[in-house]
Amino acid sequence: MSENPEFQLTTPDSVAADAEAVEILRMWWSKGEPVMSIKPAFNDPLQFGQMLAHAAKHMAHGYAVRHGHNEREAYQRILTGLSEVIKADNVQTMAEPTSRPGSVR
């Protein structure tokens, strides 16, 4: 996987310093579709929904800062995208084979 350095993500210092921090989700856009690694770490799925809502708000802010979008409009577009996928009800979960020993995860 090669990625333009402009788009590389780093671990926030506050997370790196938190011994109890848990990574829950990694997402990529690959071959025209979302691909992810997930860890259902919360006892209540409600917490994951709340985390997604926070992510949508933060992403809208990112669109405003990086691309000059109106933050409120960007947030509404994100919610529209969520709604379209939920209504379509055609998302299938497909698990990839477990990584072989020594492979990059």
Side-chain angles (χ1 to χ4, degrees):
M1 177 179 79
S2 64
E3 188 172 13
N4 183 331
E6 173 187 10
F7 297 112
Q8 290 180 350
L9 300 175
T10 58
T11 302
D13 292 339
S14 61
V15 172
D18 181 358
E20 295 185 25
V22 176
E23 185 173 27
I24 296 169
L25 172 72
R26 287 186 185 191
M27 294 180 78
W28 300 265
W29 188 257
S30 175
K31 299 178 182 175
E33 64 185 13
V35 179
M36 59 199 78
S37 272
I38 63 164
K39 183 185 302 172
F42 297 119
N43 290 327
D44 185 347
L46 174 79
Q47 289 176 281
F48 186 70
Q50 292 169 336
M51 186 174 176
L52 289 175
H54 283 277
K57 291 290 253 183
H58 290 296
M59 187 61 78
H61 180 75
Y63 273 99
V65 170
R66 179 169 281 221
H67 300 291
H69 290 243
N70 175 289
E71 189 168 333
R72 184 180 198 99
E73 291 173 9
Y75 182 64
Q76 288 305 311
R77 294 286 297 155
I78 291 168
L79 295 181
T80 298
L82 285 167
S83 182
E84 287 175 358
V85 171
I86 291 167
K87 286 177 185 174
D89 195 28
N90 63 355
V91 175
Q92 295 181 335
T93 300
M94 299 179 64
E96 291 188 0
T98 305
S99 298
R100 294 181 295 275
S103 65
V104 177
R105 293 178 75 179

